[in-house]
Amino acid sequence: VLNNNPTEKVAVALGRHRKTGEDAVVILNRHGFEEDAIADELNLSGIKEIFHNSRFSRHQGTSPCKLTIEVICPAMGKDILKYSPQEWYVLRETPAIYQAITKPMVDAIPEADIQWVYNILDGKKEQDQVHLKTEEFLCLVDYKWQDKSDPKGLHLLSLVRERKTLRSIRDLEGGKHLKMLKTMKASILLEINKRYHIPASQVLCYFHYYPTFWHAHVHFTHISGPSFGSTHAVGKAILLDDVIDNLTMDPKYYQKASITLRLSAVKHSKALEEAVKLNALSLHA
Amino acid sequence: VLNNNPTEKVAVALGRHRKTGEDAVVILNRHGFEEDAIADELNLSGIKEIFHNSRFSRHQGTSPCKLTIEVICPAMGKDILKYSPQEWYVLRETPAIYQAITKPMVDAIPEADIQWVYNILDGKKEQDQVHLKTEEFLCLVDYKWQDKSDPKGLHLLSLVRERKTLRSIRDLEGGKHLKMLKTMKASILLEINKRYHIPASQVLCYFHYYPTFWHAHVHFTHISGPSFGSTHAVGKAILLDDVIDNLTMDPKYYQKASITLRLSAVKHSKALEEAVKLNALSLHA
């Protein structure tokens, strides 16, 4: 077996020709679902429930064509939205747009929304996942990395200790944070090297902007890891090395720069609406 | 049907509970291949050859578990490498590393390797795919966008007309190229809007570094499109808007900046070897 991709259900084997004995690359590919036949698939006999918790259940088809079926019932609007195709938009956030749209939105986030971060910083939760603690930041395993036997799943998070004033990359300033960012990069790469035997040359270190939660943090993931959707994409990821170089060039760089954002029509509808009002983008051709 | 992903073989349907009539989100997921059972899969009866050309053939399983099997026989070393998992490395290319490793490599590329680009620029090939021509650049449909009925597949390429001296983003200079880049962005976004009814707010414009071919060009793709591997990822894609802002700030920006690269152990083995010699990275923990 040369390769086996469980996400795409493709396997590649190295075989040998039955008569000539020549090497052969053999690519096995499961078929996707035909739109018209989806209802029929659900009439499979021998479906077995293997998990059930509240609205969520999981079933396994025992017919020759193995199938897992997940059911959310009763489904709420947000469940339906979550599984519908997302519409994305690109917004070039100038400093003026940041002040008009993003900052008021971030300032209005209730503190309770990042209480879970404070619980980690205060030593109340997830302490078994913490790898490093300094006066300025704390590094722990992201909950997405479940299977530690797979180094390509590497995902650590570094949370800064400074609270409230350091919500995102926009709040970074050379004079205040440059030294911390350099220390963070060096010490976490060393820790990854020691603990997981992954060389620094295979680790990608980056911020997200917009971040998923508004308390400044840096991601450390494997360069060959599964990319969780747009997690490594431009318009979302900003390399820690670029941040360090930009702050070195100009300590106020992130107060002056324009930054490209990927915004979801569902998750960021308010920001998109405001941007349309400011003539910063048009949703239509 | 809410969603049907042919790549991941996952379909999501909106159903209704048989008794209560409540909405239900139903997620159907085909199973991948079990490593141990891959040889057995090949013993399926009823495999039919549907395509054959030289070393390449494609077969379809007609058993209840539909399967496509591709065979390359006799397989050569490069075929086996192509389908083996790739090892990737992250290299921070400083201007000194560019001069020592990248530039000599690019200078040594035989002209014949980009003859196909000159054929397009000279009006000899693919002219039916050209959408725009100016004195400075030419815009055409990338061959990857086959199905024009799917706007999310949008992929245009803009090739600059300047030859030999403008091989990559490293050769861009504010004084010489800033005006062209701004004109390129505005006119191609307008053309995409008119021709395909896709708003500028859903188009991502970027260079690649390293590019696949060393003649300066810009990609225009749909923000929600299938991401062709790492095509949108940091360490590969560099946004046209960032390039314009950086050249505005400093006309010599790309002669001075450090740029992060994703290098493949297979495709870029020479560059990686040189970087190790220069102590610019270590392949091992």
Side-chain angles (χ1 to χ4, degrees):
Chain A
V1 175
L2 290 176
N3 211 333
N4 191 7
N5 185 326
T7 311
E8 301 194 350
K9 286 94 188 177
V10 176
V12 184
L14 186 60
R16 192 155 287 161
H17 194 281
R18 221 165 289 175
K19 288 171 200 156
T20 65
E22 291 163 323
D23 277 345
V25 168
V26 181
I27 304 147
L28 297 168
N29 200 344
R30 290 235 190 275
H31 286 210
F33 294 92
E34 283 163 43
E35 204 100 341
D36 302 336
I38 286 175
D40 298 343
E41 299 275 0
L42 294 173
N43 291 323
L44 271 176
S45 60
I47 293 175
K48 202 172 66 184
E49 182 174 286
I50 53 173
F51 172 84
H52 201 141
N53 182 355
S54 162
R55 299 189 295 123
F56 305 93
S57 59
R58 187 174 288 146
H59 312 259
Q60 211 140 57
T62 53
S63 83
C65 305
K66 286 175 207 154
L67 208 65
T68 300
I69 302 168
E70 281 178 62
V71 180
I72 305 170
C73 184
M76 297 162 71
K78 63 174 183 178
D79 299 315
I80 296 172
L81 273 180
K82 183 175 169 190
Y83 287 102
S84 301
Q86 295 254 343
E87 286 294 320
W88 292 91
Y89 292 92
V90 190
L91 174 64
R92 187 75 175 162
E93 189 193 69
T94 60
I97 293 177
Y98 171 74
Q99 290 296 337
I101 300 177
T102 307
K103 194 166 184 305
M105 177 188 86
V106 177
D107 288 343
I109 297 172
E111 205 172 304
D113 276 21
I114 48 170
Q115 189 54 51
W116 68 271
V117 175
Y118 296 162
N119 288 342
I120 296 170
L121 293 177
D122 291 339
K124 292 180 187 158
K125 298 272 181 185
E126 299 187 44
Q127 296 304 296
D128 52 328
Q129 301 299 316
V130 172
H131 281 357
L132 264 186
K133 264 184 190 185
T134 77
E135 280 184 17
E136 294 185 302
F137 61 88
L138 181 153
C139 174
L140 81 166
V141 176
D142 188 284
Y143 79 101
K144 282 199 225 57
W145 188 23
Q146 301 275 356
D147 174 12
K148 298 270 172 56
S149 71
D150 175 19
K152 292 191 175 170
L154 174 78
H155 198 157
L156 303 186
L157 279 187
S158 177
L159 303 168
V160 303
R161 285 200 177 268
E162 189 179 327
R163 303 185 188 197
K164 288 165 197 165
T165 52
L166 199 44
R167 311 289 306 249
S168 77
I169 201 166
R170 282 281 186 200
D171 299 315
L172 290 171
E173 291 186 32
K176 292 185 198 162
H177 307 116
L178 194 48
K179 214 174 132 226
M180 169 183 73
L181 295 175
K182 288 180 182 176
T183 309
M184 184 191 282
K185 185 190 154 190
S187 61
I188 296 178
L189 288 177
L190 195 67
E191 186 69 20
I192 289 172
N193 210 324
K194 274 201 298 197
R195 214 180 261 258
Y196 303 113
H197 311 291
I198 300 169
S201 61
Q202 293 197 306
V203 181
L204 210 60
C205 326
Y206 52 90
F207 288 86
H208 277 152
Y209 192 71
Y210 285 178
T212 307
F213 60 95
W214 291 83
H215 175 101
H217 61 283
V218 180
H219 300 263
F220 289 77
T221 64
H222 197 289
I223 180 76
S224 302
S227 73
F228 302 100
S230 62
T231 202
H232 284 186
V234 286
K236 177 83 178 167
I238 299 180
L239 292 166
L240 178 56
D241 276 331
D242 286 347
V243 172
I244 290 173
D245 283 358
N246 289 332
L247 291 176
T248 304
M249 192 172 56
D250 180 348
K252 297 266 187 192
Y253 185 91
Y254 288 102
Q255 285 79 57
K256 297 175 190 171
S258 294
I259 304 177
T260 292
L261 315 177
R262 281 173 195 252
L263 296 181
S264 143
V266 174
K267 276 191 285 184
H268 308 112
S269 56
K270 186 83 183 346
L272 283 170
E273 228 173 77
E274 296 294 321
V276 170
K277 276 191 222 157
L278 288 176
N279 286 320
L281 94 174
S282 162
L283 304 183
H284 307 289
Chain B
V1 176
L2 291 175
N3 213 332
N4 191 7
N5 185 327
T7 311
E8 302 194 350
K9 285 95 189 176
V10 176
V12 185
L14 185 60
R16 191 156 286 161
H17 195 281
R18 221 166 290 174
K19 288 172 199 155
T20 65
E22 292 164 323
D23 277 344
V25 168
V26 182
I27 304 146
L28 297 169
N29 200 343
R30 290 235 191 276
H31 286 209
F33 294 93
E34 284 163 41
E35 205 100 341
D36 302 336
I38 287 175
D40 298 343
E41 298 276 358
L42 294 173
N43 291 324
L44 272 177
S45 60
I47 292 175
K48 203 172 65 182
E49 181 175 286
I50 54 173
F51 171 85
H52 201 139
N53 182 355
S54 162
R55 298 189 296 125
F56 306 93
S57 59
R58 186 174 289 146
H59 312 258
Q60 210 138 58
T62 53
S63 84
C65 304
K66 287 174 207 156
L67 208 65
T68 299
I69 302 167
E70 281 176 64
V71 180
I72 304 169
C73 184
M76 297 161 69
K78 64 175 182 177
D79 299 314
I80 296 170
L81 272 180
K82 181 174 170 189
Y83 287 101
S84 301
Q86 295 256 341
E87 287 295 318
W88 291 91
Y89 292 92
V90 190
L91 173 64
R92 188 75 174 163
E93 188 194 70
T94 60
I97 293 177
Y98 171 74
Q99 291 296 337
I101 299 176
T102 308
K103 194 165 183 304
M105 176 189 84
V106 176
D107 288 343
I109 297 172
E111 206 173 304
D113 276 21
I114 46 168
Q115 188 55 49
W116 67 273
V117 175
Y118 296 163
N119 287 342
I120 295 169
L121 293 177
D122 291 337
K124 291 181 189 160
K125 297 271 183 186
E126 299 188 45
Q127 296 303 296
D128 52 329
Q129 301 299 316
V130 172
H131 282 355
L132 264 185
K133 265 186 191 184
T134 76
E135 279 185 16
E136 293 184 304
F137 60 87
L138 180 152
C139 174
L140 82 166
V141 176
D142 189 284
Y143 79 100
K144 283 200 224 55
W145 189 22
Q146 301 275 355
D147 175 13
K148 298 268 172 57
S149 70
D150 175 20
K152 292 189 174 169
L154 174 79
H155 199 156
L156 302 186
L157 279 187
S158 178
L159 304 169
V160 303
R161 285 198 178 269
E162 190 179 327
R163 303 186 187 194
K164 290 165 195 165
T165 52
L166 199 44
R167 310 288 305 251
S168 79
I169 201 165
R170 281 281 186 201
D171 298 315
L172 290 171
E173 291 187 30
K176 291 185 199 164
H177 308 114
L178 194 48
K179 216 175 133 227
M180 169 182 75
L181 294 174
K182 288 181 182 176
T183 309
M184 183 192 282
K185 183 190 158 194
S187 60
I188 296 178
L189 287 177
L190 196 67
E191 186 69 19
I192 289 173
N193 210 322
K194 276 200 297 195
R195 216 181 259 256
Y196 302 113
H197 311 292
I198 299 170
S201 61
Q202 293 195 306
V203 181
L204 209 61
C205 325
Y206 52 90
F207 288 85
H208 278 151
Y209 192 71
Y210 284 177
T212 309
F213 60 96
W214 292 83
H215 175 101
H217 61 283
V218 180
H219 299 263
F220 290 76
T221 64
H222 197 289
I223 180 76
S224 301
S227 73
F228 302 100
S230 62
T231 202
H232 285 186
V234 286
K236 176 81 178 167
I238 299 180
L239 292 166
L240 178 56
D241 276 332
D242 286 348
V243 172
I244 289 173
D245 284 359
N246 289 333
L247 291 178
T248 304
M249 194 170 60
D250 182 347
K252 296 266 187 192
Y253 185 91
Y254 288 102
Q255 284 79 59
K256 298 175 190 170
S258 293
I259 304 177
T260 290
L261 314 178
R262 283 173 193 251
L263 295 183
S264 144
V266 174
K267 275 191 286 182
H268 309 113
S269 56
K270 185 82 183 345
L272 283 170
E273 227 172 79
E274 297 294 321
V276 169
K277 276 191 221 159
L278 287 175
N279 286 320
L281 95 175
S282 162
L283 304 183
H284 307 289

